[in-house]
PDB file of all heavy atoms in Angstrom:
ATOM      1  N   THR S 171     106.071 103.392  87.980  1.00 91.00           N
ATOM      2  CA  THR S 171     106.023 102.089  87.320  1.00 91.00           C
ATOM      3  C   THR S 171     104.956 102.011  86.245  1.00 91.00           C
ATOM      4  O   THR S 171     105.130 101.315  85.225  1.00 91.00           O
ATOM      5  CB  THR S 171     105.815 100.963  88.349  1.00 91.00           C
ATOM      6  OG1 THR S 171     104.611 101.176  89.062  1.00 91.00           O
ATOM      7  CG2 THR S 171     106.988 100.863  89.317  1.00 91.00           C
ATOM      8  N   PHE S 172     103.835 102.705  86.469  1.00 90.00           N
ATOM      9  CA  PHE S 172     102.730 102.611  85.508  1.00 90.00           C
ATOM     10  C   PHE S 172     102.794 103.626  84.406  1.00 90.00           C
ATOM     11  O   PHE S 172     102.100 103.511  83.399  1.00 90.00           O
ATOM     12  CB  PHE S 172     101.383 102.663  86.240  1.00 90.00           C
ATOM     13  CG  PHE S 172     101.033 101.378  86.882  1.00 90.00           C
ATOM     14  CD1 PHE S 172     101.333 101.140  88.202  1.00 90.00           C
ATOM     15  CD2 PHE S 172     100.394 100.355  86.190  1.00 90.00           C
ATOM     16  CE1 PHE S 172     101.019  99.932  88.814  1.00 90.00           C
ATOM     17  CE2 PHE S 172     100.068  99.152  86.804  1.00 90.00           C
ATOM     18  CZ  PHE S 172     100.388  98.932  88.121  1.00 90.00           C
ATOM     19  N   THR S 173     103.586 104.702  84.577  1.00 86.00           N
ATOM     20  CA  THR S 173     103.680 105.703  83.509  1.00 86.00           C
ATOM     21  C   THR S 173     105.049 105.673  82.816  1.00 86.00           C
ATOM     22  O   THR S 173     105.229 106.446  81.855  1.00 86.00           O
ATOM     23  CB  THR S 173     103.447 107.109  84.063  1.00 86.00           C
ATOM     24  OG1 THR S 173     104.495 107.466  85.017  1.00 86.00           O
ATOM     25  CG2 THR S 173     102.114 107.220  84.748  1.00 86.00           C
ATOM     26  N   SER S 174     105.946 104.831  83.280  1.00 89.00           N
ATOM     27  CA  SER S 174     107.275 104.782  82.702  1.00 89.00           C
ATOM     28  C   SER S 174     107.253 104.555  81.171  1.00 89.00           C
ATOM     29  O   SER S 174     106.572 103.633  80.698  1.00 89.00           O
ATOM     30  CB  SER S 174     108.099 103.665  83.345  1.00 89.00           C
ATOM     31  OG  SER S 174     109.309 103.433  82.620  1.00 89.00           O
ATOM     32  N   VAL S 175     107.970 105.365  80.426  1.00 89.00           N
ATOM     33  CA  VAL S 175     108.046 105.221  79.004  1.00 89.00           C
ATOM     34  C   VAL S 175     108.683 103.897  78.589  1.00 89.00           C
ATOM     35  O   VAL S 175     108.410 103.344  77.523  1.00 89.00           O
ATOM     36  CB  VAL S 175     108.831 106.404  78.391  1.00 89.00           C
ATOM     37  CG1 VAL S 175     110.294 106.375  78.793  1.00 89.00           C
ATOM     38  CG2 VAL S 175     108.679 106.437  76.872  1.00 89.00           C
ATOM     39  N   PHE S 176     109.493 103.337  79.491  1.00 89.00           N
ATOM     40  CA  PHE S 176     110.180 102.069  79.227  1.00 89.00           C
ATOM     41  C   PHE S 176     109.250 100.841  79.304  1.00 89.00           C
ATOM     42  O   PHE S 176     109.648  99.768  78.904  1.00 89.00           O
ATOM     43  CB  PHE S 176     111.351 101.884  80.169  1.00 89.00           C
ATOM     44  CG  PHE S 176     112.338 103.038  80.151  1.00 89.00           C
ATOM     45  CD1 PHE S 176     112.501 103.798  81.283  1.00 89.00           C
ATOM     46  CD2 PHE S 176     113.035 103.372  78.998  1.00 89.00           C
ATOM     47  CE1 PHE S 176     113.412 104.877  81.287  1.00 89.00           C
ATOM     48  CE2 PHE S 176     113.910 104.440  78.992  1.00 89.00           C
ATOM     49  CZ  PHE S 176     114.097 105.202  80.123  1.00 89.00           C
ATOM     50  N   GLU S 177     108.035 101.038  79.831  1.00 87.00           N
ATOM     51  CA  GLU S 177     107.100  99.934  79.930  1.00 87.00           C
ATOM     52  C   GLU S 177     106.278  99.782  78.657  1.00 87.00           C
ATOM     53  O   GLU S 177     105.500  98.820  78.535  1.00 87.00           O
ATOM     54  CB  GLU S 177     106.180 100.108  81.141  1.00 87.00           C
ATOM     55  CG  GLU S 177     106.854 100.044  82.486  1.00 87.00           C
ATOM     56  CD  GLU S 177     107.566  98.713  82.692  1.00 87.00           C
ATOM     57  OE1 GLU S 177     106.886  97.677  82.650  1.00 87.00           O
ATOM     58  OE2 GLU S 177     108.802  98.754  82.875  1.00 87.00           O
ATOM     59  N   LYS S 178     106.423 100.719  77.739  1.00 84.00           N
ATOM     60  CA  LYS S 178     105.559 100.721  76.553  1.00 84.00           C
ATOM     61  C   LYS S 178     105.661  99.400  75.773  1.00 84.00           C
ATOM     62  O   LYS S 178     104.644  98.868  75.321  1.00 84.00           O
ATOM     63  CB  LYS S 178     105.969 101.889  75.632  1.00 84.00           C
ATOM     64  CG  LYS S 178     105.017 102.072  74.466  1.00 84.00           C
ATOM     65  CD  LYS S 178     105.343 103.353  73.704  1.00 84.00           C
ATOM     66  CE  LYS S 178     104.337 103.578  72.569  1.00 84.00           C
ATOM     67  NZ  LYS S 178     104.658 104.803  71.789  1.00 84.00           N
ATOM     68  N   GLY S 179     106.831  98.849  75.644  1.00 82.00           N
ATOM     69  CA  GLY S 179     106.975  97.628  74.875  1.00 82.00           C
ATOM     70  C   GLY S 179     107.133  96.383  75.740  1.00 82.00           C
ATOM     71  O   GLY S 179     107.455  95.301  75.230  1.00 82.00           O
ATOM     72  N   ASN S 180     106.868  96.508  77.023  1.00 85.00           N
ATOM     73  CA  ASN S 180     107.029  95.413  77.949  1.00 85.00           C
ATOM     74  C   ASN S 180     105.873  94.412  77.770  1.00 85.00           C
ATOM     75  O   ASN S 180     104.709  94.745  77.979  1.00 85.00           O
ATOM     76  CB  ASN S 180     107.045  95.921  79.395  1.00 85.00           C
ATOM     77  CG  ASN S 180     107.344  94.822  80.426  1.00 85.00           C
ATOM     78  OD1 ASN S 180     107.487  93.649  80.061  1.00 85.00           O
ATOM     79  ND2 ASN S 180     107.353  95.193  81.700  1.00 85.00           N
ATOM     80  N   LEU S 181     106.195  93.174  77.410  1.00 85.00           N
ATOM     81  CA  LEU S 181     105.163  92.132  77.206  1.00 85.00           C
ATOM     82  C   LEU S 181     104.548  91.696  78.501  1.00 85.00           C
ATOM     83  O   LEU S 181     103.525  90.982  78.519  1.00 85.00           O
ATOM     84  CB  LEU S 181     105.757  90.940  76.458  1.00 85.00           C
ATOM     85  CG  LEU S 181     106.256  91.252  75.048  1.00 85.00           C
ATOM     86  CD1 LEU S 181     106.811  89.983  74.383  1.00 85.00           C
ATOM     87  CD2 LEU S 181     105.169  91.836  74.165  1.00 85.00           C
ATOM     88  N   ARG S 182     105.155  92.116  79.639  1.00 85.00           N
ATOM     89  CA  ARG S 182     104.594  91.754  80.948  1.00 85.00           C
ATOM     90  C   ARG S 182     103.979  92.993  81.621  1.00 85.00           C
ATOM     91  O   ARG S 182     103.786  93.028  82.844  1.00 85.00           O
ATOM     92  CB  ARG S 182     105.696  91.188  81.829  1.00 85.00           C
ATOM     93  CG  ARG S 182     106.383  89.972  81.227  1.00 85.00           C
ATOM     94  CD  ARG S 182     107.505  89.455  82.129  1.00 85.00           C
ATOM     95  NE  ARG S 182     106.956  88.846  83.325  1.00 85.00           N
ATOM     96  CZ  ARG S 182     107.688  88.501  84.368  1.00 85.00           C
ATOM     97  NH1 ARG S 182     108.988  88.755  84.380  1.00 85.00           N
ATOM     98  NH2 ARG S 182     107.123  87.942  85.454  1.00 85.00           N
ATOM     99  N   LYS S 183     103.651  93.961  80.822  1.00 89.00           N
ATOM    100  CA  LYS S 183     103.096  95.203  81.334  1.00 89.00           C
ATOM    101  C   LYS S 183     101.797  94.955  82.109  1.00 89.00           C
ATOM    102  O   LYS S 183     100.905  94.251  81.642  1.00 89.00           O
ATOM    103  CB  LYS S 183     102.803  96.142  80.144  1.00 89.00           C
ATOM    104  CG  LYS S 183     102.307  97.516  80.512  1.00 89.00           C
ATOM    105  CD  LYS S 183     102.127  98.328  79.255  1.00 89.00           C
ATOM    106  CE  LYS S 183     101.611  99.730  79.507  1.00 89.00           C
ATOM    107  NZ  LYS S 183     101.461 100.497  78.248  1.00 89.00           N
ATOM    108  N   GLY S 184     101.696  95.533  83.272  1.00 88.00           N
ATOM    109  CA  GLY S 184     100.570  95.279  84.145  1.00 88.00           C
ATOM    110  C   GLY S 184      99.479  96.315  84.020  1.00 88.00           C
ATOM    111  O   GLY S 184      99.643  97.385  83.403  1.00 88.00           O
ATOM    112  N   LEU S 185      98.337  96.015  84.616  1.00 91.00           N
ATOM    113  CA  LEU S 185      97.226  96.966  84.779  1.00 91.00           C
ATOM    114  C   LEU S 185      97.106  97.317  86.262  1.00 91.00           C
ATOM    115  O   LEU S 185      97.525  96.553  87.118  1.00 91.00           O
ATOM    116  CB  LEU S 185      95.906  96.282  84.303  1.00 91.00           C
ATOM    117  CG  LEU S 185      95.763  96.069  82.789  1.00 91.00           C
ATOM    118  CD1 LEU S 185      94.642  95.055  82.524  1.00 91.00           C
ATOM    119  CD2 LEU S 185      95.467  97.391  82.103  1.00 91.00           C
ATOM    120  N   TYR S 186      96.507  98.473  86.546  1.00 91.00           N
ATOM    121  CA  TYR S 186      96.299  98.864  87.931  1.00 91.00           C
ATOM    122  C   TYR S 186      94.899  98.419  88.315  1.00 91.00           C
ATOM    123  O   TYR S 186      93.901  98.872  87.753  1.00 91.00           O
ATOM    124  CB  TYR S 186      96.445 100.384  88.077  1.00 91.00           C
ATOM    125  CG  TYR S 186      96.669 100.814  89.523  1.00 91.00           C
ATOM    126  CD1 TYR S 186      97.935 100.857  90.024  1.00 91.00           C
ATOM    127  CD2 TYR S 186      95.575 101.117  90.345  1.00 91.00           C
ATOM    128  CE1 TYR S 186      98.160 101.226  91.350  1.00 91.00           C
ATOM    129  CE2 TYR S 186      95.788 101.482  91.664  1.00 91.00           C
ATOM    130  CZ  TYR S 186      97.086 101.541  92.152  1.00 91.00           C
ATOM    131  OH  TYR S 186      97.293 101.891  93.478  1.00 91.00           O
ATOM    132  N   GLY S 187      94.827  97.503  89.280  1.00 88.00           N
ATOM    133  CA  GLY S 187      93.604  96.784  89.572  1.00 88.00           C
ATOM    134  C   GLY S 187      92.470  97.572  90.126  1.00 88.00           C
ATOM    135  O   GLY S 187      91.287  97.105  90.100  1.00 88.00           O
ATOM    136  N   SER S 188      92.685  98.781  90.656  1.00 92.00           N
ATOM    137  CA  SER S 188      91.605  99.582  91.217  1.00 92.00           C
ATOM    138  C   SER S 188      90.587 100.059  90.230  1.00 92.00           C
ATOM    139  O   SER S 188      89.430 100.337  90.563  1.00 92.00           O
ATOM    140  CB  SER S 188      92.169 100.769  92.014  1.00 92.00           C
ATOM    141  OG  SER S 188      92.905 100.360  93.130  1.00 92.00           O
ATOM    142  N   CYS S 189      91.037 100.191  88.956  1.00 96.00           N
ATOM    143  CA  CYS S 189      90.139 100.732  87.935  1.00 96.00           C
ATOM    144  C   CYS S 189      90.570 100.205  86.562  1.00 96.00           C
ATOM    145  O   CYS S 189      91.569 100.664  86.001  1.00 96.00           O
ATOM    146  CB  CYS S 189      90.149 102.250  87.934  1.00 96.00           C
ATOM    147  SG  CYS S 189      89.126 103.032  86.677  1.00 96.00           S
TER     148      CYS S 189
END
Side-chain angles (χ1 to χ4, degrees):
T171 57
F172 282 93
T173 64
S174 168
V175 67
F176 304 117
E177 293 301 301
K178 188 173 183 181
N180 185 0
L181 297 180
R182 303 179 70 191
K183 183 178 180 180
L185 289 163
Y186 199 87
S188 293
C189 179

